[in-house]
Amino acid sequence: MLAGLARDGGLYLPAEWPQFSPAEIAALKGRPYGEVAFRVMQPFVGNAFDETTFRRLIAEAYATFDAPEVAPVKPLGDSGLHLLELFHGPTLAFKDVALQLLGLMLDQTLLRRGQHATIVGATSGDTGSAAIEAVRDRKSIDIFMLYPHGRVSEVQRRQMTTVLAPNVHNLAVSGTFDDCQDLAKACFNDLAFRDRHALTAVNSINFARVMAQIVYYFWAALRLGAPERPVAFAVPTGNFGNVYAGYAAKQMGLPIHHFVIGSNTNDILPRFFETGAMTMSAVVPTYSPSMDIQISSNFERLLFDLYGRDGKALADAMATFRSTGTLEVGGNALGGVRALFDAGRLDDEGTLAAIADCRNRFGETLDPHSAIGYAVAQQHRRDSSVPMVVLATAHPAKFPDAVQKATGERPRLPARLADLLERTERVEGLRNDIAALKELIEDRMGTTPQRARTHS
Ligand SMILES: *Cc1c(COP(=O)(O)O)cnc(C)c1O
């Protein structure tokens, strides 16, 4: 959890998946979200937190959600499709589900050890605000969030810059998102700098985020008849983080019939499932910007299984991918994943049509990401007697322009964010220069006497 990425560049995974028998799954039926969360995550946490502490962290994390159920499951008429609403957290996107808990787990661990950590991250919009909300006002953590100046929406920017907590440092970089990411990476690659400031990453490759996302697959399946009845899931994804958590739930014993992966025009995943070859191409901007990704960082975790859990073989394949832009998987392994995953893509026009269709047929307004899940769920349904859960990953008001184009109506922000456009902002400009970024971090982290002591 503290390291994020392993020092050799690999991703962490459990040596073996905890197993839940049908009777153990059945015992979770009708239990509140927090209880399901505790049971599902406890085997990963072990004795890192005692039971009382871990239950308290879970309760605190999900008290910030504005739905008492945390993640409501809603049927779409009698179509057999169900929405799993994952956007009731403080920043209106599913990333809050994992990050609210991760922020508390990090803080608790650092306080106990008497340590301080510095998060440095780059964002094209959604991740930044979710990470900032997760750690605001925590004494053990400072967060430096880099975003491309003028290239995030006003709502996205304000969700970051109106957090005035002293440990939050918003940096508007004169450059692109890739420039921001390169700056953040350069900080981590300077090992002396990384160690001096105890740099940590909370991006989607942090296994603690995967762990917290496994919970809602159990939660939704229990609502719809598991363990007696299997359930299918449709997941709009870019980094493969969300759907990988579902794959983990299946490895743990949850009866999942199959997964449908939804992509926008940036379709590296559907192309992989069609051809067995993962090939990079240029990123195209779409109405679903949180999926405008060409390298799905969590996909490496699935590939580990496709390479027979042989870390050396996978590391070689990833090195080839980075140098040639292509990685191929053989027939047997590909057949195995195709049995479990379907993948579909939807362009911007299709996305607007899907938003309008869901609104007309079922009276539900979807954001563009969720609309992609809704469309591919219908394209790839294998068995109409199996309930299909569509993961709704953002509140429609987070992407008001696309939703207005599709429906003619501008979705309104929930009451607690209604004054977002009037709140005071705090942000600093930063030129696209690694020396300037390091100097700024040194300056901020060195000036507080208490922190200087921690690091001396
Ligand atoms: C981040 C995000 C996604 C994609 O999540 P992955 O981790 O790439 O699976 C989808 N929808 C929304 C709204 C997001 O913010």
Side-chain angles (χ1 to χ4, degrees), residues 365-395:
T365 307
L366 301 177
D367 96 283
H369 305 78
S370 311
I372 291 175
Y374 166 78
V376 298
Q378 295 171 83
Q379 288 163 12
H380 294 279
R381 206 145 173 219
R382 292 184 185 175
D383 181 341
S384 60
S385 72
V386 173
M388 168 71 83
V389 181
V390 178
L391 273 58
T393 52
H395 189 287

Side-chain angles (χ1 to χ4, degrees), residues 2 5 14 44 66 71 86 124 131 140 149 154 181 202 282 326-327 335 360 391 396 398 402 416 440 447:
L2 289 170
L5 192 70
F44 296 102
D66 69 2
L86 299 172
S124 56
S140 65
H149 177 62
E154 181 171 19
Q181 227 167 5
V202 294
T326 299
L327 176 151
N360 294 339
L391 273 58
K398 196 145 192 187
R416 60 177 162 160
L440 186 143
T447 46

Side-chain angles (χ1 to χ4, degrees), residues 216-256:
Y216 50 71
Y217 287 90
F218 275 84
W219 164 256
L222 281 159
R223 291 279 154 133
L224 297 171
E228 293 80 11
R229 200 166 159 218
V231 177
F233 287 92
V235 189
T237 192
N239 264 319
F240 206 74
N242 203 352
V243 68
Y244 183 77
Y247 175 79
K250 178 156 173 88
Q251 305 308 307
M252 292 164 69
L254 191 66
I256 295 180

